[in-house]
Amino acid sequence: MYKFDRRIVITLDAGGTNFVFSAMRGYDFIVDPITYPSNSHDLDLCLSTMVKGFEEVIAQLPEKPVAISFAFPGPADYRAGIIGGYLPNFPSFRDGVALGPFLSRRFGLPVFINNDGDLFAFGEATGGALPELNRRLADLGSSRQYYNLLGYTFGTGLGIGSVINSQLNLGNNSCVETFCLPNKLYQDIIAEEGASIRAIKREYARLSGDNTNDYTPYDIYRIASGELEGDPEAARQAFDLFGQVAGDAFATAVTLTDSLIVIGGGVTGAIDYIKPALLRELRSSLKTMTGDDVQRVQMRVFDLDNPQEFAEFVVGASRQINVYGSDDTVTYDPMKRTGIMVSKLGASKAISIGAYVYALSRIDADSNN
């Protein structure tokens, strides 16, 4: 809807490590991204960094922007623009910071803040994976179209966003989360402790016995691939454990929302070592008290990045059945199915598109009231 809109919105991808500032017109960046350390431990320094980044973007724009819209880790009262609560990556915000009102007063613009996972999912649903999937299905003659999407980001934490019937699902409290679900491997520990950058680093060190090197996930990926000296089996197992914990969280979320899943974030560079465990969890079964097997996820789960599985996903199990009392037939496809895919946009751009669309949709809704 807004792909060819000419209005400009300033965006920010706010991670626990870095802030990435830019501006969008349509679904395209119109200035080169500006990156600064987030300084999340120091509130004064963090806020001054935000102001500096936004000022530098505005100075490069050809005309006045209509809004500032960006992602910020939660939980928070996003509708009020107040960030606060349990924020492992932004400890200086825990007591509550009226960030939206502060920036709106400073720049004289409407300010929209959402969870990074929410905007990632919304960006993929409006300008990324979901419209592309639906286009491919239509091109192949399928009548099926999909409107529910879960967006997961793999990085400093385990982020999630939910789009239901093409609308961003903010919940009652801006608190749609799965990072705090039980960890499959350690039931009294949260899932994020097993599905995050720190989890990969910790598990590799434990499995390899190497506590002297502070390897990054990329280093561990290179070890797994044989490109860097180390313990490749421990590296591969660290990613597999990540996939188990994330896949367990996925299975709960997709069961409750009947959604497709798209994954983004820096750790997806190691997706070949993570996805097998994700799929095993999503395709696993539980038992009834009488010993019968019940699929953990009630839909068949397809790897939509795999051409053969995508082809089966498109075809399904369609057949013709008779309409009782007539010679007419209708198409019936009894195969319930969902799928998992990796973002082609990348998390940062998907978040920015989500922020862009959200801001304009809010502005337009307000102008029509």
Side-chain angles (χ1 to χ4, degrees), residues 138-369:
D139 288 348
L140 292 168
S142 173
S143 62
R144 294 180 72 98
Q145 295 282 278
Y146 291 83
Y147 305 98
N148 291 359
L149 181 79
L150 290 173
Y152 268 98
T153 53
F154 289 167
T156 305
L158 182 64
I160 185 178
S162 173
V163 174
I164 303 296
N165 293 327
S166 302
Q167 300 296 313
L168 182 59
N169 175 25
L170 294 175
N172 291 326
N173 298 284
S174 301
C175 196
V176 176
E177 297 286 0
T178 56
F179 81 94
C180 49
L181 289 178
N183 184 314
K184 172 184 167 66
L185 304 176
Y186 308 97
Q187 286 293 302
D188 58 343
I189 303 296
I190 63 172
E192 187 171 276
E193 291 295 341
S196 56
I197 286 173
R198 62 187 179 274
I200 296 167
K201 296 172 67 173
R202 183 189 66 243
E203 291 302 316
Y204 176 75
R206 179 181 68 83
L207 292 164
S208 68
D210 183 353
N211 295 296
T212 60
N213 292 298
D214 186 23
Y215 289 119
T216 67
Y218 180 62
D219 293 331
I220 298 168
Y221 167 75
R222 293 181 64 209
I223 292 170
S225 304
E227 301 172 16
L228 187 67
E229 186 176 352
D231 185 335
E233 181 56 33
R236 289 190 287 268
Q237 192 173 348
F239 287 119
D240 188 88
L241 291 171
F242 180 109
Q244 289 183 48
V245 175
D248 184 65
F250 283 17
T252 297
V254 76
T255 296
L256 293 173
T257 61
D258 190 2
S259 300
L260 297 167
I261 300 172
V262 61
I263 310 166
V267 179
T268 55
I271 196 64
D272 288 347
Y273 296 113
I274 296 171
K275 190 182 282 186
L278 287 175
L279 291 170
R280 284 200 309 271
E281 290 298 321
L282 288 164
R283 293 166 175 169
S284 65
S285 61
L286 301 172
K287 290 188 179 297
T288 66
M289 292 295 288
T290 56
D292 295 327
D293 286 332
V294 177
Q295 288 300 116
R296 174 77 188 275
V297 174
Q298 288 297 290
M299 299 79 75
R300 280 193 60 181
V301 179
F302 290 88
D303 179 357
L304 298 179
D305 296 320
N306 180 305
Q308 291 182 326
E309 291 198 27
F310 178 79
E312 189 178 355
F313 174 84
V314 173
V315 173
S318 294
R319 57 188 173 88
Q320 297 298 117
I321 62 171
N322 289 104
V323 177
Y324 182 78
S326 76
D327 295 328
D328 294 337
T329 63
V330 294
T331 302
Y332 171 54
D333 186 348
M335 183 192 289
K336 298 179 177 69
R337 52 198 186 271
T338 188
I340 184 169
M341 52 195 148
V342 176
S343 171
K344 307 304 185 294
L345 291 174
S348 184
K349 185 163 187 182
I351 288 168
S352 295
I353 290 175
Y356 182 80
V357 174
Y358 183 82
L360 295 187
S361 63
R362 283 285 306 275
I363 290 170
D364 289 347
D366 290 344
S367 67
N368 291 330
N369 291 335

Side-chain angles (χ1 to χ4, degrees), residues 113-136:
I113 306 174
N114 282 285
N115 179 274
D116 50 353
D118 289 336
L119 291 185
F120 171 72
F122 200 40
E124 290 289 351
T126 54
L130 197 58
E132 175 62 16
L133 175 67
N134 285 332
R135 182 195 63 76
R136 292 177 67 191

Side-chain angles (χ1 to χ4, degrees), residues 30-166:
I30 60 171
V31 299
D32 291 333
I34 297 169
T35 302
Y36 285 115
S38 58
N39 299 305
S40 58
H41 62 287
D42 184 318
L43 181 60
D44 291 338
L45 186 55
C46 184
L47 293 180
S48 66
T49 301
M50 277 194 192
V51 170
K52 178 182 179 182
F54 286 134
E55 286 177 339
E56 290 187 16
V57 170
I58 290 171
Q60 299 180 52
L61 297 179
E63 60 190 68
K64 184 178 179 179
V66 298
I68 295 172
S69 184
F70 62 94
F72 207 91
D77 183 351
Y78 289 110
R79 290 181 175 89
I82 299 172
I83 309 299
Y86 178 63
L87 289 153
N89 301 326
F90 283 85
S92 63
F93 282 71
R94 289 186 181 181
D95 291 335
V97 177
L99 183 59
F102 164 74
L103 292 172
S104 183
R105 179 183 294 243
R106 175 65 179 77
F107 292 100
L109 293 169
V111 175
F112 303 100
I113 306 174
N114 282 285
N115 179 274
D116 50 353
D118 289 336
L119 291 185
F120 171 72
F122 200 40
E124 290 289 351
T126 54
L130 197 58
E132 175 62 16
L133 175 67
N134 285 332
R135 182 195 63 76
R136 292 177 67 191
L137 290 171
D139 288 348
L140 292 168
S142 173
S143 62
R144 294 180 72 98
Q145 295 282 278
Y146 291 83
Y147 305 98
N148 291 359
L149 181 79
L150 290 173
Y152 268 98
T153 53
F154 289 167
T156 305
L158 182 64
I160 185 178
S162 173
V163 174
I164 303 296
N165 293 327
S166 302

